[in-house]
Structure formats: C-alpha cells, structure tokens
Amino acid sequence: MLELYGTKLPSRLLLGTAQYPSPAILADAVKASGASAVTVSLRREMAGGGRGGEKFWSLIQSLRLHVLPNTAGCHSVKEAVTTAKMAREIFGTNWIKLEVIGNHDTLQPDVFGLVEAARILCGDGFAVFPYTTDDLVVAERLLGMGCKVLMPWCAPIGSALGPVNVTALRSMRGHFPDVPLIVDAGIGRPSHAALVMELGFDAVLLNTAVARAAEPVGMARAFGKAVDAGREAYRSGLLEPRDVAVPSTPTIGQAVFQ
C-alpha cells in the first residue's frame, strides 16, 4: 500500500488526464490502469472554457479517485503559487503537484524557483509533490522546505526516452530510503516503468505514453501490470549482474561417466 501525506493508495500508478482522444477513452484508460490518483491541470481546463471545464471536472469526479492538481505551464514562483491556491479552492484538496518550468525546450524544472515555491506552499498547508530533477542537493532543499514526497524526472516530459541516468536514480533511492519517490516524466514504455520500480521507487506518474498510444486503454492496462511487476520484483530481491557464468544445475556430487 502506497502512503502519501497520510493517504493510503492501493495502486502505485498515477495517471495524467491530458491529450486523450476523447473523455470516454480517458475514463476507460484510467479504469483499465487501476490507478488510484489522477493529475489535473487547472490552467488547461480553464483555457477550455466554462462548460467544457465543468464537464471535464464532472468526469473526473465520476472516477472516484484521488485528484492531484498541478501547476503545469507555470514559469515563475508567483504563477505557480497563485495556480496552486486556485486549484485548492476549485478541487477541494491541499495536494498539489508543483511545477515551475525553467527551460522551454526540455521543460526542465527551474530548481531555484521550485524550492522557493515549495517553501511558500508548504508553509501555507499544502501537501506538495515537487516535479524536480535527479539532483540530490535540490532534493535535500525540497525536503528542508517541508516536502514529504519527491518526484524526480527520468527524462524530459513527453520524450518517452525512459530512464536516461539510471545511476542518478539509484543514487537518489539510496540517499533517501524513507522518502516516497515517484518517477515523473519521460516514461515511454511499460518496460521503463518496470525498470524504475525495480530500482525501488515507490510509484510512477505518466501521461503521454498512454494518452498518445494507438490504443490508450490497452496501454494503460499494460502500464498497470508493469508497475505491479516491477514492485514485486524489487520486493522479492533481484539478482545482481555477474561477469561470469554461474551454472543453474550444480555439478558437485554428480556422478561422472567415463
């Protein structure tokens, strides 16, 4: 059972709600994935206009899942903090996925603005889920500001590259053994999700790999299974790679025929 800010979630997959071909496909994909929480972009829904936004929110409510609003599209501390406060009023939750984007091409977080925004929001009673890099110093700063969850990227948002720096992710897991770590951004295939879960990460958040798939519902189901498989493999104890062959059948004590 995954516990985030005192809330227990049966699934370790969190799913985004953008870019789906239709609301019906979104609903079916979320159900097929088994996800316990979905992210929602306040800015995107407000841009869609009144009635469209209302219909979308009604759909999300009908799924009866935990909602994690985000500050996607925010490029400054002021934007992110203002958006987070609006989201709390609209969605009725103090959970917020905090994004402060610093680079237009890679959508890499502005880690300086991220830490400052986290300080403000944690002080205002928010349960902050910061979208960050795999930098250990930044992670320490975010925890110092009051964050109890970290969400490092494994590659740029929507790139589908998968883990580009496995060593850094493994190091983050080792440095923060008791902090819930959710890999966010860059997951492109179910095997990517399984890999980061095998590293000991607590959950995976993804969107594009499912929403833009040829069959989003089937892909959502595949990711749900991959996350579960990776977690079970980690808990069961994976064999470390070896540079020599090791026979699966013991030879000591066997009869020798001449």
Side-chain angles (χ1 to χ4, degrees):
M1 186 75 72
L2 175 64
E3 184 170 340
L4 304 173
Y5 287 103
T7 298
K8 293 183 178 180
L9 304 177
S11 172
R12 293 176 181 271
L13 175 62
L14 293 80
L15 208 58
T17 57
Q19 306 182 59
Y20 286 83
S22 72
I25 292 177
L26 163 61
D28 289 344
V30 171
K31 293 173 184 175
S33 73
S36 297
V38 293
T39 61
V40 178
S41 171
L42 176 63
R43 285 184 158 221
R44 179 173 62 82
E45 296 317 318
M46 289 181 67
R51 279 192 148 326
E54 290 175 9
K55 290 181 179 179
F56 176 81
W57 179 224
S58 295
L59 171 64
I60 297 301
Q61 288 179 308
S62 71
L63 296 173
R64 299 185 181 280
L65 301 175
H66 290 276
V67 175
L68 176 59
N70 66 41
T71 62
C74 292
H75 289 75
S76 71
V77 173
K78 182 178 180 180
E79 279 185 299
V81 170
T82 300
T83 301
K85 291 181 178 180
M86 292 174 62
R88 180 164 62 181
E89 293 297 320
I90 292 173
F91 298 113
T93 178
N94 67 337
W95 280 19
I96 191 72
K97 178 190 170 187
L98 180 60
E99 297 183 30
V100 183
I101 301 302
N103 184 280
H104 291 279
D105 295 325
T106 64
L107 300 180
Q108 180 171 327
D110 170 359
V111 295
F112 305 102
L114 180 68
V115 170
E116 175 61 14
R119 181 188 68 79
I120 295 170
L121 293 175
C122 287
D124 195 25
F126 281 88
V128 178
F129 295 69
Y131 163 60
T132 184
T133 63
D134 53 23
D135 187 283
L136 297 179
V137 176
V138 176
E140 289 279 12
R141 296 289 189 274
L142 290 168
L143 294 174
M145 293 302 105
C147 297
K148 299 185 183 304
V149 174
L150 296 173
M151 303 182 72
W153 71 348
C154 72
I157 292 173
S159 67
L161 288 171
V164 296
N165 193 340
V166 173
T167 299
L169 292 176
R170 184 179 283 113
S171 179
M172 179 168 275
R173 178 70 285 175
H175 274 75
F176 306 107
D178 301 320
V179 177
L181 300 179
I182 303 172
V183 170
D184 177 21
I187 296 288
R189 301 183 178 189
S191 57
H192 296 159
L195 172 57
V196 297
M197 294 301 291
E198 288 174 1
L199 294 176
F201 280 77
D202 297 282
V204 168
L205 193 159
L206 57 93
N207 187 169
T208 307
V210 170
R212 300 298 295 274
E215 296 289 345
V217 177
M219 188 61 75
R221 186 177 298 108
F223 269 107
K225 294 177 179 178
V227 167
D228 289 344
R231 178 64 179 178
E232 187 167 352
Y234 170 73
R235 288 177 57 84
S236 298
L238 295 160
L239 287 178
E240 291 299 319
R242 300 166 177 170
D243 57 4
V244 296
V246 178
S248 58
T249 302
T251 57
I252 297 177
Q254 289 186 340
V256 177
F257 298 96
Q258 296 183 349

